[in-house]
Amino acid sequence: MATDSVKVEILQAVPDCARKTRPGDTISVHYRGTLAADGSEFDASYNRGQPLSFTVGKGQVIKGWDDNLLDMCVGEKRKLTIPPKFGYGERAMGPIPAGSTLIFETELVSIQGVKGKDEL
């Protein structure tokens, strides 16, 4: 795999999307993170029953997320394959070894202040 870019796969598209994520949005995302090397899971918000909330595009999360969770619709699911330079680089982070390529299955749960499709 090329190590100079993040591979983005749309796992579940949302056909009627009035509002996509943009820099500065506070979003809530469910995710499952695994190591590309062996498929072992290192973290998953699903296990806690609580999505992760953060402001996208502001450096609060790894670059592979900040850049690749933009233009996303509520309910959309993406698989991100993130090489080290867009993840944690050459430093180990908890159960994640230094230099790891990460795979995240992500699901956009909400955009703060934006009503969901069912609420319109």
Side-chain angles (χ1 to χ4, degrees), residues 20-100:
K20 295 183 178 192
T21 55
R22 49 188 182 232
D25 282 339
T26 298
I27 63 174
S28 293
V29 178
H30 260 311
Y31 66 91
R32 177 170 290 107
T34 57
L35 299 175
D38 64 7
S40 63
E41 183 177 297
F42 58 81
D43 193 17
S45 64
Y46 293 105
N47 297 346
R48 292 185 293 278
Q50 181 76 32
L52 176 68
S53 294
F54 64 95
T55 303
V56 71
K58 298 292 183 184
Q60 296 177 354
V61 293
I62 59 174
K63 188 162 178 53
W65 273 37
D66 244 357
D67 294 347
N68 295 286
L69 295 180
L70 295 170
D71 295 318
M72 197 169 180
C73 302
V74 172
E76 184 176 329
K77 295 181 181 181
R78 292 182 180 177
K79 179 180 175 183
L80 308 177
T81 302
I82 303 176
K85 76 184 246 183
F86 298 103
Y88 296 106
E90 294 307 317
R91 40 177 226 273
M93 185 66 64
I96 302 169
S100 293

